């Protein structure tokens, strides 16, 4: 009689083990994007000394200071930043399960149409440079935000300089 009771217990233990393993696998799978993005964050933080790199949930934000990327009122990327962009591109290519949103920004000086156009050209210029380092165009999207999202006051020259920038938002591609 005892032997008959043991069989259902073993079956129950085996069933619970299978359920536990399945839940662990599902948990590991759902945390995978988080782990993937954390690894990419650490590498970007180590390699991009002149950029501000931050992690927000499962996305990364990289902001290069305007004086590093562009001259004032220009959409042409400074030659001196190209080696750094090469390293940035290497990491983007290594972590290819991501999409990159490139946003261009301006200060509030000048006419709104000019600022919108300049912000779009800055984003496109940064995209083109990353593309020259083999980052797939299918992964990159650009958006010109003009002066709509300042990170500093536009009342001072230092604040305006901070607002003239390009930001990279790196998102995990949920299709992968």
């Amino acid at each position: 009689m005892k032997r008959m009771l043991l069989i259902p217990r073993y079956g129950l233990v085996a069933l619970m083990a299978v359920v536990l393993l399945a839940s662990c696998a599902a948990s590991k799978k759902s945390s995978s994007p988080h782990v993937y993005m954390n690894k990419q964050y650490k590498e970007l933080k180590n390699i991009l000394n002149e950029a501000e790199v931050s992690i927000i949930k499962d996305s990364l934000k990289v902001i290069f200071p305007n004086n590093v990327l562009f001259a004032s009122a220009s959409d042409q990327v400074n030659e001196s930043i190209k080696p750094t962009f090469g390293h940035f591109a290497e990491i983007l290519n290594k972590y290819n399960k991501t999409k990159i949103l490139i946003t261009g920004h301006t200060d509030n000086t000048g006419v709104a149409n000019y600022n919108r156009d300049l912000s779009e050209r800055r984003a496109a210029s940064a995209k083109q440079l990353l593309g020259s380092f083999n980052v797939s165009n299918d992964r990159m999207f650009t958006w010109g935000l003009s002066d709509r999202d300042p990170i500093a006051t536009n009342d001072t020259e230092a604040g305006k300089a901070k607002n003239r920038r390009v930001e990279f938002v790196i998102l995990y591609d949920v299709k992968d």
Side-chain angles (χ1 to χ4, degrees):
M1 181 77 158
K2 283 185 179 181
R3 194 171 227 188
M4 292 180 78
L5 290 175
L6 289 177
I7 292 172
R9 281 189 194 162
Y10 288 126
L12 183 61
V13 168
L15 179 64
M16 289 184 67
V18 168
V19 168
L20 181 63
L21 288 173
S23 70
C24 287
S27 162
K28 187 174 183 178
K29 195 173 194 179
S30 67
S31 70
S32 179
H34 182 70
V35 170
Y36 187 86
M37 296 302 281
N38 273 330
K39 286 181 180 178
Q40 185 176 20
Y41 166 76
K42 288 176 184 172
E43 286 193 43
L44 288 170
K45 195 82 169 153
N46 283 336
I47 202 87
L48 301 177
N49 298 327
E50 54 276 288
E52 177 185 325
V53 181
S54 55
I55 189 165
I56 305 161
K57 294 188 180 182
D58 279 338
S59 68
L60 307 176
K61 185 183 256 188
V62 178
I63 303 173
F64 287 92
N66 182 59
N67 62 336
V68 171
L69 279 182
F70 304 101
S72 184
S74 173
D75 65 353
Q76 297 302 306
V77 177
N78 287 333
E79 288 292 320
S80 63
I81 195 67
K82 288 184 179 181
T84 301
F85 256 58
H87 298 302
F88 183 33
E90 284 176 22
I91 295 170
L92 292 175
N93 288 330
K94 179 179 178 182
Y95 293 91
N96 62 358
K97 293 181 184 178
T98 58
K99 299 287 185 183
I100 304 110
L101 173 62
I102 305 167
T103 57
H105 300 266
T106 65
D107 60 29
N108 67 352
T109 304
V111 181
N113 285 341
Y114 175 79
N115 284 339
R116 186 182 63 247
D117 181 58
L118 178 60
S119 66
E120 290 171 0
R121 288 183 291 138
R122 283 180 171 171
S125 182
K127 177 183 177 180
Q128 182 179 15
L129 182 55
L130 285 175
S132 74
F133 290 107
N134 299 320
V135 177
S136 171
N137 280 329
D138 294 343
R139 295 177 55 208
M140 296 185 287
F141 304 89
T142 60
W143 192 13
L145 289 176
S146 187
D147 64 347
R148 288 182 280 176
D149 190 23
I151 58 173
T153 181
N154 277 306
D155 295 334
T156 66
E157 286 307 312
K160 287 181 181 186
K162 286 184 179 181
N163 291 330
R164 296 186 301 261
R165 68 194 188 282
V166 172
E167 293 184 1
F168 301 86
V169 179
I170 305 166
L171 305 160
Y172 188 82
D173 188 1
V174 293
K175 292 185 293 186
D176 285 341

